[in-house]
Amino acid sequence: MVAIELFRRRNEQVVSSIVHRHMVRSTGFIALAWFIHYFPFFLMGRSLFLHHYLPASIFAYMMLGACFQVFFVAEYQRFTLRSWDGRARALVPSTAAVAVLGAIVAVQFIAFAYFSPLAYGTTSLTPAEVNARRWLPTYDLHFQK
């Protein structure tokens, strides 16, 4: 969105005006909601818990879907699945869209399977397994064994 806005300020039209309006109104709102939920916890210097970031992750997934729609749905200007005469029409995804969507779903499934014991506590993890689930070495995970 930022890159498209920078091109627009230089009078370069990267996307149509309908796509730009939709991105500013809906996708911009989702990005603002993510920022409002994420930023206060980013500034905190105390211990943070997973439930601090879960509302922001919901908006991040909504943003992923909105960006996927902008980049991969053909005839994006159509905001309806019905034609003017009332008959239903199908949005047929391209093979690139199917491949990207399949990769996103696969990565999400693998990430869920890997991090769900840490997030939900469904299985007992050893201290080494808990530390292996840190994304950054600066993360301090507090746990008792």
Side-chain angles (χ1 to χ4, degrees):
M1 261 180 37
V2 173
I4 290 172
E5 196 59 38
L6 288 174
F7 277 109
R8 186 176 170 92
R9 289 185 186 264
R10 295 179 183 206
N11 292 326
E12 297 284 335
Q13 187 172 357
V14 179
V15 295
S16 70
S17 61
I18 294 173
V19 173
H20 182 265
R21 185 179 67 219
H22 181 72
M23 285 184 67
V24 168
R25 289 183 181 173
S26 64
T27 312
F29 174 76
I30 295 169
L32 179 66
W34 172 83
F35 181 77
I36 289 171
H37 283 85
Y38 180 79
F39 191 67
F41 300 111
F42 178 77
L43 295 177
M44 286 185 179
R46 62 181 181 87
S47 294
L48 296 174
F49 299 97
L50 184 62
H51 66 269
H52 291 145
Y53 295 105
L54 289 178
S57 68
I58 293 170
F59 289 107
Y61 281 116
M62 292 170 69
M63 184 66 127
L64 179 67
C67 290
F68 182 83
Q69 180 183 12
V70 167
F71 294 124
F72 290 106
V73 173
E75 299 180 32
Y76 180 74
Q77 287 81 358
R78 295 188 321 189
F79 290 113
T80 180
L81 293 177
R82 299 222 173 251
S83 61
W84 290 106
D85 60 0
R87 293 183 304 158
R89 52 185 180 183
L91 288 174
V92 179
S94 66
T95 55
V98 172
V100 169
L101 186 61
I104 289 171
V105 169
V107 167
Q108 288 300 304
F109 181 74
I110 292 168
F112 177 78
Y114 185 69
F115 288 108
S116 64
L118 182 65
Y120 299 116
T122 54
T123 60
S124 179
L125 298 175
T126 65
E129 290 173 333
V130 171
N131 284 325
R133 284 166 171 76
R134 291 189 305 174
W135 280 5
L136 297 174
T138 58
Y139 288 176
D140 291 328
L141 299 177
H142 301 285
F143 56 90
Q144 278 185 332
K145 220 23 174 168

